[in-house]
Amino acid sequence: MTFQTTPEKGRFITFEGGEGVGKSTQLARLAGHLRDCGVEVVTTREPGGTSKAEKLREFLLSGRAAPLGPLAEAALFSAARADHVATLIAPALKRGAWVLCDRFADSTRAYQGANGGVDAKTLALLERAAVGETRPDLTIMLDLPAQEGLARAASRRDGCEAADRFENEAPSFHEELRQAFLAIAESEPERCCVIDASLSVDGVARAVRALVHDRFLAHAAQAAQ
Ligand code: TMP
């Protein structure tokens, strides 16, 4: 199967969800599938994706930014995003590539907004400044009870690495995150689709693939009419 992409603009797909929901695995599976379909795919992640943003990632996830407070953390995630969008994402979309990104602006809305960390208006201003017109065409929200995700994340580390800045937050924070992602999906049903991440890896991958085919093949068929 071949996807039609316009030379002026590719597709921007983001994967979102709490800790341990399997975003990276599913992103890699979808990227492989799209490449098999002849699509140019760029895979990336947030925070990160460029050398400057990766430096900010290291600072943020080590917890060294936490004493600066939630607004400063939100601003730093947004600064990393602004560089990522300008340097990597927007140019790739412009040349017609599909960009698959592990987390994007919804993570700032959910994580930095959780527990009343930063108010929604401020987060919206930061988001607009960081992303401009570069908004996802599709956001895949992988959903899992918070405790299950945390257990998966811990077993993935297998005692080799310490939990990062946000994994260390209280269970109530993680449950709140889950609700925040679900609320975003409910408020933007055109863009977001929730997938049950408790299915097997293959089951989730099939659901993701079906969703992407539906969204973009239906779109291509309509455009051709
Ligand atoms: P991950 O790449 O393993 O998911 O780790 C990224 C961590 O950073 C994760 O705990 C979520 C957090 N995060 C935010 O708090 N805000 C953001 O805007 C982004 C992109 C990530």
Side-chain angles (χ1 to χ4, degrees):
M1 173 158 318
T2 307
F3 281 88
Q4 293 300 313
T5 57
T6 59
E8 311 82 53
K9 193 180 178 297
R11 301 281 181 203
F12 184 22
I13 302 176
T14 58
F15 285 75
E16 297 277 8
E19 305 294 330
V21 296
K23 293 174 289 81
S24 313
T25 304
Q26 292 302 331
L27 185 151
R29 292 284 292 262
L30 180 63
H33 172 70
L34 290 172
R35 286 184 182 122
D36 288 345
C37 294
V39 172
E40 183 198 348
V41 179
V42 173
T43 61
T44 187
R45 68 171 181 183
E46 290 216 342
T50 64
S51 57
K52 285 181 200 160
E54 289 290 335
K55 282 186 190 134
L56 285 169
R57 177 187 179 95
E58 205 274 314
F59 183 57
L60 283 158
L61 300 196
S62 69
R64 278 179 288 148
L68 303 175
L71 177 59
E73 284 186 308
L76 289 168
F77 278 112
S78 304
R81 182 162 304 126
D83 186 62
H84 190 204
V85 167
T87 309
L88 189 141
I89 298 174
L93 292 171
K94 199 166 173 208
R95 69 168 186 270
W98 289 39
V99 177
L100 307 189
C101 190
D102 187 340
R103 298 196 181 281
F104 194 62
D106 295 318
S107 281
T108 307
R109 292 191 203 175
Y111 278 77
Q112 281 60 59
N115 293 330
V118 184
D119 67 85
K121 240 183 180 168
T122 305
L123 290 174
L125 285 172
L126 287 169
E127 184 172 318
R128 202 168 322 131
V131 313
E133 299 301 309
T134 307
R135 294 185 179 271
D137 297 300
L138 172 66
T139 294
I140 297 166
M141 299 269 186
L142 297 180
D143 179 56
L144 198 60
Q147 282 304 336
E148 246 178 84
L150 287 169
R152 279 193 195 177
S155 73
R156 196 179 52 204
R157 282 195 311 277
D158 201 20
C160 302
E161 282 172 51
D164 72 26
R165 154 80 181 90
F166 295 98
E167 280 174 57
N168 272 328
E169 288 282 346
S172 59
F173 173 85
H174 291 282
E175 197 44 54
E176 190 151 336
L177 273 182
R178 181 187 189 197
Q179 299 311 323
F181 280 119
L182 292 173
I184 293 169
E186 203 175 306
S187 70
E188 293 186 55
E190 297 292 304
R191 171 174 70 88
C192 303
C193 187
V194 178
I195 289 183
D196 178 1
S198 67
L199 301 169
S200 66
V201 170
D202 284 344
V204 176
R206 272 195 298 275
V208 167
R209 216 179 300 152
L211 171 65
V212 168
H213 276 252
D214 273 4
R215 285 278 171 129
F216 298 119
L217 286 180
H219 178 86
Q222 271 170 13
Q225 277 169 10

